[in-house]
Amino acid sequence: MSPLTVGMPPTVLVSGASVAGPTLAFWLARAGYAVTVVERTDGLREEGQNVDVRGAAREVLRRMGLEDAALAATTGEQGTAFVDDRGRDIAAFPAGTDDTSGPTAELEILRGRLGQLLFDATEHDVEYRFGDQVRGLDQDANGVDVTFASGAQERFDLVVLAEGVNSRTRALAFPEARKQHLGMVIAYLTIPRQDDDTDWWRWYVAGRGRGVSLRPDDVGTIRAAVNLMTDTRGLDELDSAGQATVLRRAFQDVPWGAPRILDALADGAPFYFEDLAQMHLPSWSAGRIALVGDAAWCATPVSGIGTTLALSGAYTLAASLAATPDHRAGLADFEQRMRPFVAKAQSLPPGTPGLANPRTDRGRALLWAALRLAASRPAQRVGGLVGGALGSFGRPPADAYRLPEAPSAVAD
Ligand SMILES: Cc1cc2nc3c(=O)[nH]c(=O)nc-3n(C[C@H](O)[C@H](O)[C@H](O)COP(=O)(O)OP(=O)(O)OC[C@H]3O[C@@H](n4cnc5c(N)ncnc54)[C@H](O)[C@@H]3O)c2cc1C
């Protein structure tokens, strides 16, 4: 990419400091770019539950020298157990013991912890600006003029949006972006740990399109989630009080897990509410503006592979850009490498996520029977049978993607 000023390193603005943004910044900085990361919140966000780092993404962390630190920060989750109305195990799947397999990955880490590791690894080589965001983008053949909410104006050689599925800046350059809702909302929150909690991810299929899950963390609390199949859209735009009311009405008769979650909500516990949607775009770049991570291709949490895609995709984008002086060729190469992997991740099994959240008693009985059967089979069947039933865990295999060579000095 020819830089704005001859003899100066090319400048890149990355918007979003969660997983994809700092990973991209790490590798671009290593390749000699001058990188600025802007994040709209006032600091790194701590929220979020356990995310899986599998296959190719695990290799990305390895190449960043962060694998050991990430392994030392795992949540300690021992596996996934589906439970009945009284919390008794129906089917249990121990954690994976390699880079890729099992509902619970070996590298299971809180999203906020992973974000912190990535930030720590980049803060000296990258300029971070918190509490600001892009308001305007105006590009020509040689660069992008960026107007920030703070009023600042600056020109960059390239702008990459890593703002997650609900990116607002995306619409400025990609009006054709299409959101495909899955008909399910999830609320995540942290609740106090109690004596009968375990280090397993316990998942209760509650019927009438509802589910409750409790997961351990390594800081002495429990990461809870409730999910609800619903045809009503726009719930994510309600205020917190409105969302809490929706959850209270939907889960008040659910016997396991829900009472303590509703108590926490009544006590004002903060929660993160998501209306699950995939992002589909015909292209992940428009001139000198590009997308990466969930902003480009969100596959949703039911894919089980969002963080893996973000890490591998950000690494690949940096490698593709650094390999050529022509940013168009670099962006095309990135897209060509990542599209097949993303397409597989987004192609959820038929019936997902409804099959895992049956609305009828009969549907729930069938699911429980399938889970019992899956748990009685050798571990290698888990990805197929349980993945097929629940629509996640190992589709596609996260090691099916081959990473390019590590980005090196930016091509002249
Ligand atoms: C707070 C939070 C909690 C999450 N919890 C879970 C979870 O429990 N389970 C799960 O599977 N996935 C969770 N995710 C999603 C998960 O992190 C992603 O699926 C995956 O890691 C891909 O990450 P990403 O970096 O592409 O996007 P994201 O992780 O969504 O990060 C996007 C970043 O961009 C920032 N941003 C948004 N808009 C702007 C803007 N206009 N200007 C500047 N910055 C902006 C956001 O504040 C955020 O830091 C969570 C994401 C967030 C932000």
Side-chain angles (χ1 to χ4, degrees):
M1 186 187 336
S2 26
L4 290 172
T5 311
V6 178
M8 299 293 283
T11 55
V12 181
L13 175 71
V14 178
S15 182
S18 174
V19 176
T23 305
L24 176 67
F26 177 98
W27 288 106
L28 285 180
R30 178 150 302 185
Y33 292 78
V35 187
T36 304
V37 178
V38 62
E39 163 62 49
R40 80 179 158 86
T41 53
D42 288 337
L44 279 186
R45 300 179 69 164
E46 290 176 7
E47 313 105 283
Q49 309 211 337
N50 317 36
V51 292
D52 302 341
V53 179
R54 297 174 187 264
R58 177 100 175 246
E59 176 62 21
V60 171
L61 286 187
R62 207 171 281 147
R63 292 183 189 181
M64 293 171 89
L66 295 178
E67 187 187 27
D68 288 345
L71 280 170
T74 51
T75 57
E77 187 171 288
Q78 311 224 315
T80 305
F82 293 87
V83 300
D84 68 11
D85 301 351
R86 291 166 58 189
R88 294 170 304 198
D89 285 4
I90 294 172
F93 304 94
T97 51
D98 56 27
D99 282 9
T100 303
S101 64
T104 294
E106 189 197 359
L107 212 171
E108 189 95 30
I109 184 169
L110 293 178
R111 191 207 62 87
R113 281 283 180 95
L114 178 61
Q116 184 72 51
L117 284 178
L118 295 168
F119 173 79
D120 291 347
T122 45
E123 64 170 327
H124 299 301
D125 304 319
V126 168
E127 182 190 339
Y128 277 90
R129 294 183 196 161
F130 288 98
D132 202 358
Q133 56 187 302
V134 174
R135 274 280 182 269
L137 295 171
D138 188 11
Q139 62 171 318
D140 55 38
N142 300 314
V144 188
D145 290 314
V146 180
T147 308
F148 293 91
S150 60
Q153 294 198 324
E154 212 168 318
R155 190 166 166 82
F156 295 88
D157 291 305
L158 191 73
V159 173
V160 184
L161 307 178
E163 297 179 357
V165 62
N166 293 318
S167 163
R168 293 201 184 139
T169 316
R170 182 177 49 213
L172 298 176
F174 302 89
E176 70 284 13
R178 183 172 61 85
K179 241 184 196 178
Q180 184 190 346
H181 289 280
L182 298 193
M184 182 163 102
V185 296
I186 303 187
Y188 301 99
L189 69 163
T190 303
I191 61 174
R193 191 176 169 112
Q194 59 187 41
D195 288 346
D196 58 349
D197 283 325
T198 70
D199 283 335
W200 282 67
W201 178 7
R202 287 178 302 158
W203 187 336
Y204 173 53
V205 178
R208 292 197 358 234
R210 299 166 301 175
V212 176
S213 100
L214 301 182
R215 307 184 77 168
D217 62 23
D218 57 337
V219 292
T221 50
I222 290 290
R223 307 285 162 149
V226 287
N227 56 275
L228 172 68
M229 299 297 298
T230 171
D231 299 326
T232 308
R233 300 275 69 79
L235 297 178
D236 55 333
E237 281 155 27
L238 296 176
D239 62 15
S240 298
Q243 290 167 350
T245 302
V246 170
L247 296 174
R248 207 164 28 250
R249 287 197 186 131
F251 285 88
Q252 59 190 354
D253 64 328
V254 171
W256 186 83
R260 49 196 288 213
I261 292 175
L262 296 184
D263 283 351
L265 286 177
D267 287 346
F271 59 95
Y272 177 69
F273 193 95
E274 195 180 351
D275 187 357
L276 266 56
Q278 293 193 338
M279 279 317 302
H280 295 276
L281 285 105
S283 171
W284 296 328
S285 62
R288 289 173 174 269
I289 303 169
L291 298 165
V292 72
D294 277 3
W297 55 61
C298 181
T300 77
V302 299
S303 75
I305 200 168
T307 300
T308 291
L309 287 177
L311 284 160
S312 343
Y315 170 94
T316 301
L317 176 54
S320 297
L321 285 170
T324 165
D326 177 0
H327 69 277
R328 284 163 302 198
L331 292 169
D333 181 67
F334 157 65
E335 190 139 347
Q336 194 193 355
R337 287 175 186 275
M338 282 302 291
R339 278 272 172 199
F341 191 27
V342 166
K344 281 190 206 142
Q346 287 191 326
S347 122
L348 301 172
T352 305
L355 271 182
N357 298 281
R359 294 180 193 246
T360 63
D361 289 347
R362 183 174 149 70
R364 186 165 78 146
L366 281 172
L367 176 61
W368 281 9
L371 289 167
R372 282 197 184 93
L373 182 64
S376 68
R377 297 293 173 93
Q380 62 267 24
R381 298 283 318 259
V382 168
L385 201 50
V386 180
L390 299 178
S392 67
F393 314 142
R395 287 176 65 99
D399 53 2
Y401 177 67
R402 276 199 45 209
L403 295 170
E405 288 294 305
S408 54
V410 52
D412 298 321

